[in-house]
Amino acid sequence: MSEATETHGGNTAGDSERNTPIPSRTATPGGASGSRPSSGTRRFLAKAEKKIDKFIGAFKRKVGRKEKGTGSHGAPEASTTTASTGKTWAVVAGALKMTLAGAVPFIPDPFKGPAEVLLEIIDVFERVKSNKEEMEDLKARCDLLNESMLNAIKGRDEKLLSTELKESIGRLVNGIHDTFLATVVEYSTGIAAYVMVEDNSEAVEGANQKLDQILQCFWIENLIAGALVLSDIRQTVKDQEGWMVKLCGTIDNHFKSATLDKLKHVPGAAYDSQELAKVNPCFEGTRVKLLAGIGRWMSNTALEEQEAKKPIYVLDGIAGIGKSTVAKTVAQRAAAINSLGATFFFSRDHADRQQAAGFVHTIAYQLACCDATYGKAIATAIDDHPDSLHKVMAQQFSTLVAEPLNSMLKKRATPLVFVFDALDECAQPDGSDILSLIITCVSQLPNVKVFLTTRPELVLRVEYQSTSLANCFHLQEIEALIVDSDIWLYLDYHLSPSNIQKVFKGTKWNSWAPEKPQKEQLVGLSNRLFIFASTALKLILSRQGLGPEKTLTSILCLEPKQGMVKLYQKVLEIATPTDILRPSKDWDLWLADFQTAIGATIVLQYPLSIQALEKLLGPESSNLETILSNMHSVLAPLDDGPNPTYKIHHKSFPDFVTNADLCPKEFWIEESKHHLQLAKCCLETMDQQLRFNICQVPIADQYKELANLPELNTEKLTEELKYAVCNWATHLGRSNFKVFEQGTKQLLQRFATVHLMHWFEALAYLGQLDTAFSIMQAALTTLESNEANDMDEYHQMVTTASVLVMHSICTRVIKHMLNHGHWNLQFYMATKNQ
């Protein structure tokens, strides 16, 4: 599962050269430096600044003579438009100068010189009188630049401005300076700015394009970092046109087409899906440096620096450090500025999110939804090449994404970002195949950036560290002080008196609050793991259990070096009923219920609602909801209604509770045992609920193709039956049992001889008929292995017959499906008669 509900963050170190993906050079197309210009740039600027001083003096004398000679000496007066334009520019330039003058004191030293020179350059432009369209555009851009700086610093104490924001403003000023200066020097022949704006519209047009790129970099970097508020930017550009409106406007380009329904996309893989609702973005004020660096990487499409041009950003780190939180933040903020292409959040706890089968289909579907023109192109590609839907991944991607979108992506003014989280949770070899696809295909799309998070698993690490296309940042190597500062910010907010009063309103604890040393100690115990801080908070702020004061005290007694292990042991201790004697029969019964509830929750292929899970597990689940609700700090209910769905809060908990060396013996979960249990439950559910014509198709329609049937009555396709139909073979295979007991064999025999065609029918109605072969193949592999180890001749004969029957029928079903595309009653009857 992805790193869920890590509502926190931590800044990056930024000092380690190998860990800093973005060089500290300016985010401008002019090539100016962010901290120290190159020697060639320094020589150019020195020469240019001397020249501009000369031009400024000459220009002032020229303008003075011109203004002195107009009007009273009979020279034609400037037109009303020209005067108006000059006045408008004077107002804009004046405002820009005021902002710069206020910004200079806190701009870092490397940027102060350009900022001060820029004030003089603006003086030159301010005296120009021109009514050219390009000059009007220049004024508009300068107005946007001015507003952008004001929005970044307004209402903030200069002392509290982050270093990253100060450097970003410095790069912005530096970029404006270099653009104006280079344009003046390049196109001047004596009277610099006057000649440029009066006689060379190309010069101003070029300056406008460069300022567009500078502003784009500044906005994207700071919107991703959270230093700018999107509503302020939208207010600034409300009367503008062009890329800035597309970047900041609310655009509904959702493309609807029946063709797109052919894509077997994975809805739960999207960053804003219900399955990921409990994965919160970074807590405000945390991850500042990291997110600013990611923003610069996203925006620096115009730079010449090799590092900034790398299309892949890999964020790797150990479990619990906050990778998924960062991924969701990047996806969320990129979506807000219309720069998100697609997301895929992998999860080992969801069958469809731990394999490669739906990866390309999901990318194509999300791209089609985010832009209408992309949607039309992808739909056309599907109609023209329907067989591509079933090809290998590389061919799918080429036909469905790369070929139809290549030309459109080249025209984008801003980058399109793909966010892929927790690649390590994709089963091998699928994970390696997807990484290869990302490196060789996805990252090669024009104007595309790929943000990827993963644990540093060896098989993946070797590949992404060896490619020249990726920047790699190791999240666990962040400076401890920076991480501790972020965890403190997160804990201090949630343990503040106001928040505690809100959480415990109406209880005796609403006036309690921890002391500062206690919070500092909790920060130290977290050991830079955000999942520790998050889990500890859930325990402390629970309205159940020991109460916040006692819970905090017990947590602070944990051993620092084994923080997560000891914390999870504390979670189990708090969840254990205090009114049951140990040992006793009641204790044994409670442990059995605990094993059933937690074991099933861990091995489920995707979360089920409490009611569906109870029906699937049968009589053994009588105490299910009580146990799961007491494990709230590690299980996240997806809703607060009467039928909640519980999912694992963080994958480190299953790692702990299935590790016999770490977990207390009585709580240890043996995965294979619970997989077998669920396999039997699935077979029992199908035996009880599957039947012929389960959706009650009228007699008149029973010979029609599935696509032509009227609306189906799917009431009998219950949530637990849907799960059983699609996942029984997976649990059977993962049970790793070599010899099945009598009850399991009887259920398998009934499935093969009574319900096999009912199963195909249900798969067809669920739109999963194309998975029949892979499900059956997994089951046959398990059964053949079991048969070889079973010495009972009778059961061996039954199993062999079942295998042959299922193999024969399955082959015919798959053949029919490929030839006709659908199940129908006519085919059902023909097969049954055979």
Side-chain angles (χ1 to χ4, degrees):
M1 175 187 297
S2 299
E3 298 174 5
T5 48
E6 297 156 4
T7 56
H8 31 261
N11 293 340
T12 65
D15 293 331
S16 173
E17 182 177 350
R18 71 186 182 89
N19 269 345
T20 305
I22 306 300
S24 57
R25 300 190 62 185
T26 181
T28 72
S33 65
S35 57
R36 180 171 178 79
S38 65
S39 57
T41 302
R42 292 199 301 273
R43 287 195 298 271
F44 166 77
L45 291 177
K47 180 179 179 182
E49 287 170 7
K50 289 180 181 178
K51 198 169 183 181
I52 194 62
D53 287 340
K54 178 180 177 182
F55 290 157
I56 288 173
F59 177 72
K60 288 179 178 178
R61 292 192 295 273
K62 175 71 174 179
V63 172
R65 289 195 298 271
K66 181 178 179 67
E67 291 180 342
K68 188 175 181 179
T70 56
S72 60
H73 289 79
E77 296 184 5
S79 67
T80 303
T81 304
T82 301
S84 175
T85 300
K87 183 177 180 181
T88 303
W89 170 248
V91 172
V92 172
L96 186 58
K97 286 173 67 178
M98 288 181 64
T99 303
L100 283 170
V104 166
F106 62 78
I107 289 178
D109 286 338
F111 303 106
K112 284 187 184 292
E116 291 165 351
V117 173
L118 179 57
L119 290 171
E120 294 185 356
I121 297 176
I122 293 174
D123 279 336
V124 177
F125 281 83
E126 190 173 1
R127 299 175 185 278
V128 170
K129 304 292 188 290
S130 171
N131 61 353
K132 291 182 181 295
E133 181 179 347
E134 292 80 6
M135 199 62 191
E136 293 289 343
D137 289 342
L138 183 61
K139 294 168 189 173
R141 280 159 178 78
C142 287
D143 197 9
L144 284 173
L145 290 163
N146 178 52
E147 289 292 326
S148 296
M149 280 188 284
L150 284 174
N151 287 332
I153 63 178
K154 71 177 183 180
R156 303 188 187 188
D157 187 334
E158 175 187 323
K159 297 178 182 178
L160 299 180
L161 291 177
S162 68
T163 302
E164 290 70 37
L165 179 57
K166 292 178 182 179
E167 291 179 352
S168 181
I169 293 174
R171 284 190 294 270
L172 175 66
V173 173
N174 210 16
I176 305 170
H177 161 268
D178 287 354
T179 300
F180 280 13
L181 184 61
T183 304
V184 169
V185 171
E186 182 177 355
Y187 291 102
S188 63
T189 56
I191 307 302
Y194 183 80
V195 173
M196 179 187 75
V197 298
E198 289 289 350
D199 301 327
N200 199 330
S201 61
E202 291 182 3
V204 186
E205 184 178 355
N208 285 333
Q209 292 175 354
K210 291 180 180 179
L211 291 178
D212 266 356
Q213 293 171 333
I214 295 167
L215 189 55
Q216 173 187 319
C217 290
F218 181 78
W219 279 2
I220 292 178
E221 172 187 344
N222 288 287
L223 286 169
I224 295 298
L228 285 178
V229 180
L230 188 59
S231 59
D232 289 343
I233 299 297
R234 284 177 174 158
Q235 181 66 24
T236 300
V237 303
K238 64 180 180 179
D239 298 323
Q240 304 294 329
E241 294 181 357
W243 68 266
M244 61 282 291
V245 174
K246 294 179 181 178
L247 184 72
C248 297
T250 301
I251 301 175
D252 183 12
N253 275 334
H254 188 80
F255 177 72
K256 296 180 181 179
S257 170
T259 300
L260 296 179
D261 293 336
K262 297 178 182 179
L263 292 168
K264 295 287 185 180
H265 71 287
V266 182
Y271 82 98
D272 55 354
S273 68
Q274 181 61 35
E275 288 183 14
L276 291 166
K278 293 294 182 178
V279 181
N280 293 327
C282 295
F283 186 70
E284 185 178 356
T286 63
R287 299 292 198 195
V288 175
K289 191 176 184 70
L290 173 63
L291 291 169
I294 295 170
R296 290 198 298 277
W297 163 78
M298 281 177 54
S299 65
N300 291 351
T301 53
L303 288 179
E304 297 179 358
E305 287 81 353
Q306 188 62 34
E307 287 295 312
K309 293 180 69 175
K310 291 184 177 181
I312 303 173
Y313 189 117
V314 179
L315 184 69
D316 70 14
I318 60 177
I321 204 166
K323 301 182 296 296
S324 293
T325 298
V326 175
K328 182 155 189 177
T329 303
V330 172
Q332 191 177 70
R333 294 179 181 176
I337 57 175
N338 303 304
S339 288
L340 184 65
T343 60
F344 201 105
F345 279 58
F346 293 94
S347 172
R348 67 181 180 187
D349 297 319
H350 295 76
D352 53 356
R353 289 165 55 196
Q354 61 174 254
Q355 55 187 349
F359 182 70
V360 174
H361 282 223
T362 301
I363 291 176
Y365 185 85
Q366 291 185 17
L367 284 169
C369 292
C370 81
D371 189 292
T373 56
Y374 299 170
K376 293 174 183 177
I378 291 171
T380 300
I382 295 172
D383 289 335
D384 293 345
H385 308 283
D387 58 328
S388 66
L389 295 169
H390 311 291
K391 300 294 184 181
V392 296
M393 276 201 304
Q395 192 167 343
Q396 281 184 26
F397 188 82
S398 176
T399 305
L400 300 177
V401 178
E403 292 175 8
L405 301 189
N406 191 70
S407 61
M408 285 179 277
L409 291 173
K410 286 181 180 179
K411 298 175 182 178
R412 283 188 63 90
T414 57
L416 194 67
V417 182
F418 292 76
V419 178
F420 305 133
D421 178 61
L423 181 60
D424 59 285
E425 298 198 38
C426 184
Q428 290 293 354
D430 284 18
S432 294
D433 292 342
I434 287 175
L435 181 57
S436 297
L437 182 75
I438 290 171
I439 293 172
T440 60
C441 299
V442 182
S443 66
Q444 301 304 306
L445 293 172
N447 285 328
V448 159
K449 298 274 191 173
V450 178
F451 181 78
L452 171 68
T453 75
T454 180
R455 287 189 191 183
E457 305 290 353
L458 180 61
V459 66
L460 299 175
R461 187 172 72 246
V462 169
E463 188 165 359
Y464 64 68
Q465 287 187 338
S466 63
T467 177
S468 60
L469 298 175
N471 297 310
C472 299
F473 194 97
H474 311 301
L475 200 50
Q476 63 268 25
E477 296 181 6
I478 302 172
E479 291 179 7
L481 289 177
I482 296 176
V483 182
D484 287 348
S485 174
D486 277 355
I487 292 179
W488 166 264
L489 185 66
Y490 169 66
L491 291 174
D492 188 50
Y493 170 80
H494 287 285
L495 294 177
S496 65
S498 59
N499 191 61
I500 289 173
Q501 187 176 17
K502 181 173 65 176
V503 172
F504 292 110
K505 185 177 181 180
T507 72
K508 63 181 180 180
W509 299 305
N510 66 345
S511 59
W512 171 84
E515 298 176 355
K516 182 177 180 181
Q518 290 178 302
K519 289 188 282 188
E520 290 175 343
Q521 189 178 351
L522 191 56
V523 171
L525 279 173
S526 296
N527 195 27
R528 298 195 297 169
L529 291 177
F530 300 117
I531 186 59
F532 182 98
S534 174
T535 305
L537 271 181
K538 285 180 171 61
L539 277 174
I540 295 167
L541 299 180
S542 171
R543 294 173 68 99
Q544 305 171 12
L546 304 176
E549 188 172 6
K550 289 184 178 180
T551 301
L552 175 59
T553 302
S554 65
I555 291 174
L556 295 181
C557 293
L558 299 179
E559 300 174 20
K561 292 185 178 180
Q562 288 187 310
M564 281 311 305
V565 172
K566 296 297 183 180
L567 183 63
Y568 282 141
Q569 290 176 356
K570 179 64 64 177
V571 168
L572 295 176
E573 178 185 324
I574 292 174
T576 303
T578 57
D579 57 347
I580 298 179
L581 294 176
R582 305 189 215 181
S584 68
K585 183 178 180 181
D586 289 340
W587 171 248
D588 292 339
L589 290 174
W590 184 87
L591 274 180
D593 289 343
F594 174 88
Q595 286 280 334
T596 298
I598 303 302
T601 303
I602 285 176
V603 303
L604 279 174
Q605 296 304 288
Y606 60 82
L608 292 174
S609 69
I610 279 289
Q611 292 178 7
L613 187 55
E614 286 177 342
K615 292 176 181 177
L616 182 65
L617 295 175
E620 297 183 5
S621 62
S622 58
N623 207 18
L624 184 67
E625 185 169 8
T626 302
I627 291 173
L628 294 182
S629 63
N630 283 336
M631 300 287 292
H632 62 92
S633 58
V634 291
L635 299 178
L638 297 181
D639 55 71
D640 299 320
N643 186 29
T645 298
Y646 288 91
K647 60 176 291 187
I648 302 297
H649 171 61
H650 191 269
K651 58 190 174 186
S652 58
F653 178 69
D655 289 344
F656 163 75
V657 81
T658 58
N659 188 326
D661 295 330
L662 299 177
C663 183
K665 183 179 180 181
E666 64 268 29
F667 297 112
W668 173 58
I669 301 296
E670 185 179 359
E671 288 185 272
S672 59
K673 173 184 174 182
H674 292 282
H675 274 297
L676 180 59
Q677 172 83 11
L678 272 179
K680 291 178 62 177
C681 290
C682 287
L683 290 168
E684 288 173 350
T685 298
M686 290 191 292
D687 189 44
Q688 294 167 4
Q689 297 188 25
L690 282 179
R691 64 194 63 186
F692 171 70
N693 195 18
I694 192 170
C695 290
Q696 300 175 0
V697 178
I699 295 177
D701 297 321
Q702 288 181 359
Y703 290 90
K704 293 181 179 179
E705 292 291 328
L706 189 60
N708 299 325
L709 290 178
E711 185 175 349
L712 296 171
N713 178 6
T714 58
E715 179 183 352
K716 298 297 182 181
L717 292 173
T718 62
E719 184 181 357
E720 64 272 15
L721 179 60
K722 292 176 183 178
Y723 183 90
V725 163
C726 296
N727 296 287
W728 66 273
T730 299
H731 290 301
L732 195 69
R734 293 184 181 179
S735 68
N736 295 325
F737 275 74
K738 299 302 181 183
V739 179
F740 294 132
E741 44 82 32
Q742 179 71 18
T744 303
K745 290 181 178 181
Q746 288 177 348
L747 287 169
L748 286 168
Q749 184 181 2
R750 280 189 59 79
F751 176 80
T753 58
V754 177
H755 294 299
L756 187 60
M757 292 310 301
H758 302 156
W759 176 68
F760 282 119
E761 180 184 0
L763 279 176
Y765 290 143
L766 293 175
Q768 299 292 324
L769 190 56
D770 55 346
T771 66
F773 185 80
S774 59
I775 293 174
M776 190 58 66
Q777 194 66 41
L780 293 178
T781 301
T782 302
L783 289 174
E784 288 169 351
S785 174
N786 177 266
E787 175 191 354
N789 290 277
D790 194 341
M791 302 305 295
D792 187 310
E793 183 177 350
Y794 171 76
H795 288 302
Q796 183 175 348
M797 178 183 67
V798 171
T799 303
T800 301
S802 299
V803 168
L804 292 174
V805 168
M806 286 192 289
H807 189 276
S808 174
I809 296 179
C810 186
T811 301
R812 292 201 296 274
V813 169
I814 299 303
K815 182 178 179 180
H816 173 84
M817 181 183 67
L818 294 176
N819 290 337
H820 303 281
H822 298 292
W823 172 96
N824 59 34
L825 183 61
Q826 185 176 24
F827 169 70
Y828 176 93
M829 296 304 296
T831 305
K832 188 175 182 180
N833 291 335
Q834 292 178 11

